[in-house]
């Protein structure tokens, strides 16, 4: 055993143990006094991170519960308001029932005054609770609560929000079907008087009206609106069997409306959702007319025959039950060839007859294959059969009404809509529609972006070429080459094209292609061409002995308006339209609207006629393009807009009008080089309320009876809206319950990590105290040990 004075190992060891024990005591005291196991990140870094995450989640859930409770309070307020509106409906039904009685002898005007005030109070209270049309809460309400998880493409934020959609739960008078957009028959025409000259019975038994029907015993109405327009318009065929007065006419129309909405298609579903219903409107002078009403959609109705036109009040005179004629005809520009005339070798190939307009969303081409020996009689018979067999043309009401050799062709539209008929490939003009060539003479292509000449003479001889750009009017172009070479011909042709505004805009360029002249559009414009004269100077008349000048078809009929747009809706002014012919004339239309207090919604529609897309050659094509873009936007606000075809006056040109039940919207029309497409270019057109909608009243027994029916439906609609609100209350309550459970469990989980076990820490503290006392005593002894060495030095 050795003894040292300079280094006291026992003292050093005692001090180290004492230090450790002191730290353990301090930590135990801290845990006991704070109640926390983790006093610093060094105590449990991983555990502290997890505990802090739990604490943050708890903060989100605590606020989320407050959010849900706020939402629950809002829905409870709305629920109370709906309860009160329900009582108002009860009062309105009481008044309507009283007025509907045939034995009532009091003043219906007094009843109607109170009835009107009840409807006004319904509107006021609906606005107060934010569930009027366009109201504060008439939208999808998403309340963020927290506690969500990401899974199956749904992120944590989406999963942590509870959503109640009140956009279809508005409870103002309009939403309940007591007000709405309405088409009313022409004023002054009384179809309700049983013995009147324009009564329902007289109209449906009029021989001229009967003859116009597409199907015996039926009359047709066509409806257009958001989601059911253009080629997808709703055809409503009304069965007139048993109809003898205006009241059972209304029943027959409503039955037909219901049936049309039951077809399985997106357009039929949209039409069904528009909930258009027929009713009778009695004017102050006692005259009764037909009305068509929708509580939630703007729409246009079109008479499909003279019976329907008369029932809408569009008769030839106030004392005549015959509906205004809807027949619109297109007559060929010249007579067809004489009977037995053959097409000959120069005319053999494919003759294409094109139809555009009349609601067709795209051109319809009828191809006729003719041989040298085919007679005009055979060709006309084939054309008539092809038109009859074509579903698109029949759907548009287009028929071939005159196909006699030696006389001009006549095509008719039975619904008063304008259309045009053109041809190509009939190089000898046997059909009387013109002699424009088809591509390569016989391939059947109606028009083209490039055409190659054949066997050009290339002499310095004057020749007139004819062009139709994008189906437009014929443009004659007189050209005289400066010399007798193909280069001279190309130079002269390009110079003449450059001097014509329309042809230059179409990007037409002549080039030398392997010794023949090729005409090509550089911007994708489609065109047709023909040649006058027999010289074949430029190579575009090789198959024809003597070129025949193009002839234009004529248009007749269609002198009255038979399309009616629902009143009480937001409408733009009528915008003129000219078909876009050139590939460089793209036009941008911007539609904007803000609804339900949301940010402004915007949609851009591009109208064009080039190699990329051809959607604006006619007003019908443009309307189809606009409505298709609106419905494919998946924007609930802008999907309430629809573009319809309309006229400013009887017999006037067809233009475009935008219609909607939105509070307002704007149409911005951009400019293009040719000034074609929509007119009013470079302007912003704002919508305005046009016409008057329908409002229930009980001023007459008939209107009161209609009101009783409408109020019964309103009660059902109100109940459905209240059910959504009640479902929302339950949904928020369940969401609060879940959030509270999550909050409790998160707090427990955090406690297990962060909080101290006081029993354990008390034991640790006692242990540390004992060890500290013992350590101090031991240290004292260790420090005194070196003094024992002095005993060795004593004498």
């Amino acid at each position: 055993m050795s003894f040292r004075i300079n280094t006291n190992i026992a003292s050093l060891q005692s001090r180290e143990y004492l230090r450790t024990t002191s730290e353990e005591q301090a930590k135990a005291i801290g845990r006991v006094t704070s109640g926390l196991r983790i006093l610093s990140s060094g105590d449990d870094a991983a555990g502290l991170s997890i505990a802090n995450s739990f604490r943050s989640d708890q903060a989100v859930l605590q606020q989320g519960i407050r959010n849900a409770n706020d939402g629950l309070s809002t829905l409870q307020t709305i629920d109370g308001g709906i309860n009160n509106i329900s009582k108002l409906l009860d009062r309105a039904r009481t008044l309507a029932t009283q007025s509907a009685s045939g034995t009532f002898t009091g003043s219906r005007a007094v009843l109607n005054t109170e009835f009107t005030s009840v409807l006004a109070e319904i509107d006021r209270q609906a606005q107060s609770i934010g569930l009027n049309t366009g109201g504060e809460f008439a939208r999808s309400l998403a309340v963020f609560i927290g506690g969500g998880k990401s899974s199956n493409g749904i992120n944590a934020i989406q999963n942590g929000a509870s959503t109640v959609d009140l956009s279809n739960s508005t409870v103002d008078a309009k939403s309940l079907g007591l007000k709405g957009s309405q088409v009313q028959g022409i004023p002054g025409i009384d179809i309700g008087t049983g013995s009147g000259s324009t009564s329902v019975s007289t109209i449906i038994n009029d021989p001229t009206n009967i003859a116009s029907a597409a199907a015996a015993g039926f009359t047709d109405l066509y409806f257009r609106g958001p989601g059911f327009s253009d080629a997808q318009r709703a055809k409503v065929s009304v069965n007139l069997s048993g109809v003898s007065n205006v009241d059972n006419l209304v029943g027959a129309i409503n039955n037909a409306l219901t049936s049309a909405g039951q077809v399985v298609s997106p357009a039929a579903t949209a039409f069904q959702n528009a909930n258009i219903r027929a009713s009778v409107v009695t004017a102050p002078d006692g005259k009764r007319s037909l009305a068509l009403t929708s509580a939630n959609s703007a729409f246009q109705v079109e008479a499909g025959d003279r019976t329907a036109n008369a029932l809408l009040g569009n008769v030839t005179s106030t004392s005549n039950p015959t509906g205004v004629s809807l027949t619109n005809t297109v007559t060929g520009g010249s007579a067809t060839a004489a009977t037995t005339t053959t097409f000959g070798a120069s005319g053999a190939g494919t003759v294409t007859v094109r139809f555009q307009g009349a609601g067709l969303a795209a051109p319809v081409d009828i191809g006729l294959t003719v041989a040298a020996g085919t007679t005009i009689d055979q060709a006309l018979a084939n054309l008539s059969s092809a038109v009859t067999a074509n579903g698109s043309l029949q759907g548009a009401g287009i028929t071939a009404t005159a196909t006699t050799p030696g006389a001009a062709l006549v095509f008719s539209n039975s619904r008063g809509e304008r259309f045009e008929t053109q041809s190509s490939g009939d190089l000898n003009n046997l059909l009387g529609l013109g002699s424009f060539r088809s591509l390569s003479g016989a391939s059947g292509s109606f028009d083209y972006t490039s055409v190659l000449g054949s066997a050009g003479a290339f002499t310095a001889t004057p020749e007139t070429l004819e062009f139709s750009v994008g189906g437009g009017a014929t443009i004659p172009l007189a050209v005289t080459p400066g010399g007798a070479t193909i280069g001279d011909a190309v130079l002269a042709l390009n110079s003449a094209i450059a001097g014509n505004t329309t042809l230059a805009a179409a990007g037409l360029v002549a080039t030398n292609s392997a010794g023949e002249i090729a005409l090509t559009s550089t911007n994708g414009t489609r065109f047709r061409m023909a040649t006058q004269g027999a010289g074949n100077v430029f190579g575009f008349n090789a198959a024809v002995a003597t070129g025949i000048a193009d002839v234009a078809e004529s248009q007749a009929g269609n002198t009255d308006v038979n399309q009616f747009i629902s009143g009480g809706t937001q409408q733009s002014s009528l915008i003129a339209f000219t078909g876009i012919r050139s590939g460089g004339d793209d036009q941008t239309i911007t539609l904007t609207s803000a609804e339900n207090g949301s940010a402004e919604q915007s949609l851009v529609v591009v109208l064009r006629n080039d190699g990329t897309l051809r959607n604006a050659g006619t007003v019908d094509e443009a309307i189809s393009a606009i409505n298709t873009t609106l419905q494919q936007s998946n924007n609930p606000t802008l999907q309430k807009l629809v573009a319809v075809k309309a006229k400013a006056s009887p017999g006037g040109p067809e233009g475009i009008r935008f219609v909607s039940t939105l509070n307002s919207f704007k149409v911005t029309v951009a400019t293009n080089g040719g000034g074609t497409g929509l007119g009013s270019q470079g302007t912003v057109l704002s919508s305005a309320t046009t016409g008057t909608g329908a409002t229930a009243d009980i001023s007459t027994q008939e209107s009161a009876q209609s009101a009783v029916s409408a109020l019964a439906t309103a009660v059902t609609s109100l109940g459905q809206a209240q059910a959504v609100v009640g479902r929302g209350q339950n949904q928020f309550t369940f969401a609060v319950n879940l959030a509270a459970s999550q909050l409790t469990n998160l707090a427990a989980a955090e406690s297990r990590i962060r909080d101290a076990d006081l029993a354990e820490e008390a034991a640790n503290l006692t242990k540390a105290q004992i060890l500290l006392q013992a350590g101090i005593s031991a240290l004292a002894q260790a420090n005194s040990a070196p003094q024992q060495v002095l005993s060795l030095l004593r004498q």
Side-chain angles (χ1 to χ4, degrees):
M1 179 177 183
S2 60
F3 295 93
R4 297 178 180 85
I5 297 176
N6 290 336
T7 304
N8 190 340
I9 300 301
S11 175
L12 291 175
Q13 290 176 337
S14 297
R15 280 185 295 174
E16 179 60 24
Y17 288 135
L18 188 61
R19 182 188 65 79
T20 302
T21 301
S22 178
E23 288 179 354
E24 291 295 330
Q25 182 189 42
K27 186 177 292 186
I29 291 173
R31 287 173 173 172
V32 169
T33 56
S34 69
L36 298 175
R37 183 180 70 86
I38 303 174
L39 298 176
S40 66
S41 59
D43 295 338
D44 185 355
L48 180 62
S49 174
I50 296 172
N52 285 342
S53 174
F54 287 163
R55 184 178 62 189
S56 179
D57 288 343
Q58 289 175 65
V60 171
L61 285 169
Q62 286 169 347
Q63 182 58 51
I65 290 173
R66 289 193 289 271
N67 291 347
N69 283 327
D70 290 343
L72 186 58
S73 297
T74 298
L75 291 181
Q76 288 170 344
T77 301
I78 292 173
D79 192 28
I82 293 178
N83 283 332
N84 210 42
I85 290 174
S86 179
K87 296 176 183 178
L88 288 168
L89 286 178
D90 292 344
R91 179 56 182 163
R93 292 188 78 181
T94 300
L95 295 169
T97 303
Q98 185 178 8
S99 180
S101 174
T103 59
F104 178 73
T105 57
S107 173
R108 285 189 170 88
V110 173
L111 294 179
N112 193 53
T113 300
E114 183 181 353
F115 184 83
T116 302
S117 68
V118 169
L119 296 187
E121 182 61 15
I122 289 174
D123 284 336
R124 189 193 71 79
Q125 294 197 14
Q127 182 176 349
S128 296
I129 62 175
L131 279 187
N132 59 310
T133 302
E136 180 181 4
F137 299 122
R139 53 192 173 88
S140 182
L141 302 176
V143 176
F144 183 71
I145 300 172
K149 301 297 180 184
S150 298
S151 178
N152 299 323
I154 300 175
N155 60 42
I157 299 299
Q158 293 171 317
N159 183 244
S162 183
T163 302
V164 177
D165 188 1
L166 299 180
S167 58
N168 294 318
S169 299
T170 49
V171 294
D172 55 353
K174 180 178 180 180
S175 301
L176 296 176
L178 304 177
K179 292 182 179 179
S181 65
Q182 184 182 74
V183 167
Q184 186 174 337
I186 295 175
I189 306 300
D190 184 7
I191 67 170
T193 303
S195 59
S197 58
T198 57
S199 68
V200 168
S201 177
T202 307
I203 289 171
I204 65 177
N205 288 296
D206 179 80
T208 304
N209 291 340
I210 293 173
S212 70
F218 288 80
T219 186
D220 294 334
L221 294 167
Y222 292 86
F223 291 83
R224 295 177 173 89
F228 55 99
S229 59
D230 318 314
Q232 304 300 317
R233 61 192 179 276
K235 178 182 179 181
V236 176
S237 294
V238 183
N239 188 345
L240 298 177
S241 177
V243 173
S244 59
N245 56 56
V246 69
D247 297 306
N248 46 39
L249 170 67
V250 165
I253 294 176
N254 284 331
N255 289 337
L257 288 167
T258 300
S259 297
Q262 292 174 341
V263 178
V264 180
S265 72
T269 299
F271 178 66
Q272 184 181 51
N273 292 338
N275 194 28
I276 300 171
R277 308 305 293 169
S279 63
V280 180
V281 175
T282 304
D285 61 2
K287 293 182 178 179
R288 307 173 73 193
S289 59
L290 180 66
L292 296 157
T293 306
S294 171
N296 53 40
S297 179
F299 65 95
Q300 180 190 57
V301 60
E302 174 186 273
D305 50 51
R306 297 181 78 159
T307 300
N309 216 12
L311 292 173
L312 289 170
N314 202 12
V315 291
T316 53
S317 72
T318 57
S319 59
N320 192 325
T322 303
V324 170
S325 175
L326 301 178
T327 301
N328 185 39
T329 62
V330 170
T331 304
S334 63
T336 59
T339 184
T340 71
T341 302
T342 61
F343 280 79
S346 63
T350 300
V351 177
T352 303
V353 180
R354 169 167 289 185
F355 297 85
Q356 296 183 115
L360 293 170
V364 173
D365 291 342
I366 298 295
L368 301 174
T369 301
V370 294
T374 301
T375 65
I376 186 63
D377 310 66
Q378 294 170 324
L380 291 177
N382 291 340
L383 175 61
S384 180
S385 298
V387 170
T388 301
N390 189 280
S392 296
L393 295 181
Q394 293 306 301
I398 295 175
T399 57
T401 53
T403 55
T404 304
L409 278 170
V410 179
F411 301 94
S412 298
N413 171 261
S414 60
R415 294 203 293 274
E417 295 191 64
R418 291 183 175 273
F419 70 104
E420 56 187 22
T421 306
Q422 301 173 331
S423 74
S424 69
D426 184 15
L427 301 184
N428 295 306
N429 195 29
L430 268 62
L431 297 180
L433 297 177
S435 60
F436 283 117
R437 62 178 292 161
S438 59
L439 189 62
S440 300
S443 71
S445 177
F446 178 80
D447 50 13
Y448 23 81
T449 58
S450 181
V451 62
L452 181 65
S454 175
F458 308 129
T459 60
T461 305
E463 188 169 75
T464 297
L465 304 178
E466 291 184 332
F467 295 87
S468 171
V469 174
T474 300
I475 302 171
L477 191 70
V479 188
T480 304
T485 68
I486 187 173
D488 295 323
V490 168
L491 181 64
L493 191 52
N494 282 331
S495 177
I497 289 172
N500 185 280
T501 302
T502 302
L503 298 180
L508 291 184
V509 176
T511 58
N512 182 342
S513 177
E516 297 293 347
I517 295 179
L519 271 173
T520 304
S521 169
T522 58
N523 58 22
T525 300
R526 300 189 75 87
F527 63 94
R528 292 175 297 159
M529 68 171 301
T531 305
Q532 292 186 25
N536 197 32
V537 174
F538 298 97
F540 297 109
N541 196 30
V544 184
T546 56
I548 301 172
D550 180 56
V551 294
E553 68 279 0
S554 61
Q555 183 137 352
N558 190 25
T559 57
D560 276 88
V561 177
N562 67 308
Q563 298 161 331
F564 303 85
I565 299 174
S566 57
T569 55
Q570 288 287 313
Q571 300 180 22
S572 71
S573 57
L574 181 64
I575 308 173
F577 182 86
T578 305
I580 294 179
R581 308 296 186 186
S582 296
D585 284 346
D586 294 2
Q587 185 182 39
T588 298
I589 310 299
T590 304
L591 303 168
T592 56
S593 178
E595 188 76 350
N596 297 338
S598 61
E600 186 174 73
Q601 307 294 306
S602 180
L603 179 69
V604 175
V605 182
V606 179
L607 301 179
R608 60 201 312 165
N609 195 349
D610 56 27
T612 302
L613 185 64
R614 305 187 188 279
N615 65 3
T618 66
V619 64
D620 300 278
E621 292 176 20
I623 288 174
S624 177
I626 293 169
N627 288 331
T628 298
T629 305
L630 284 167
Q631 292 305 308
Q632 291 179 350
S633 69
N634 293 323
N635 185 308
T637 296
L638 296 177
Q639 283 178 329
K640 295 178 181 178
L641 267 168
V642 64
V644 297
K645 186 165 59 176
K647 305 175 194 173
S649 60
E654 294 173 331
I656 297 176
R657 193 185 298 275
F658 291 88
V659 189
S660 180
T661 54
L662 293 169
N663 291 332
S664 65
F665 63 86
K666 294 180 180 179
V667 182
T668 303
V669 185
T671 60
N672 64 6
T676 54
L678 269 70
S680 303
Q681 295 191 359
T683 63
V684 178
L685 305 175
S686 297
S687 66
T689 302
T690 304
T692 57
T695 301
D697 75 89
I698 57 172
S699 58
T700 64
Q701 183 181 357
E702 292 85 351
S703 63
Q705 290 171 345
S706 297
V708 169
S709 177
L711 284 163
T713 303
V715 170
T716 301
S717 299
L718 185 70
Q720 292 170 344
Q722 192 163 20
V724 174
V725 174
R727 185 169 68 242
Q729 292 181 63
N730 292 335
Q731 184 176 328
F732 285 171
T733 299
F734 293 137
V736 169
N737 292 341
L738 175 61
S741 175
Q742 290 175 306
L743 184 61
T744 300
N745 290 309
L746 283 172
E750 182 195 8
S751 174
R752 282 189 287 269
I753 296 173
R754 193 189 299 274
D755 291 350
D757 183 341
L758 291 182
E760 179 183 352
E761 297 304 331
N764 289 337
L765 179 58
T766 301
K767 173 184 174 183
Q769 288 174 337
I770 294 172
L771 288 173
L772 187 62
Q773 292 173 5
I776 291 173
S777 176
L779 179 61
Q781 293 180 26
N783 287 339
S784 64
Q787 294 178 1
Q788 303 299 321
V789 179
L790 294 178
S791 63
L792 297 176
L793 300 177
R794 292 174 184 168
Q795 299 299 326

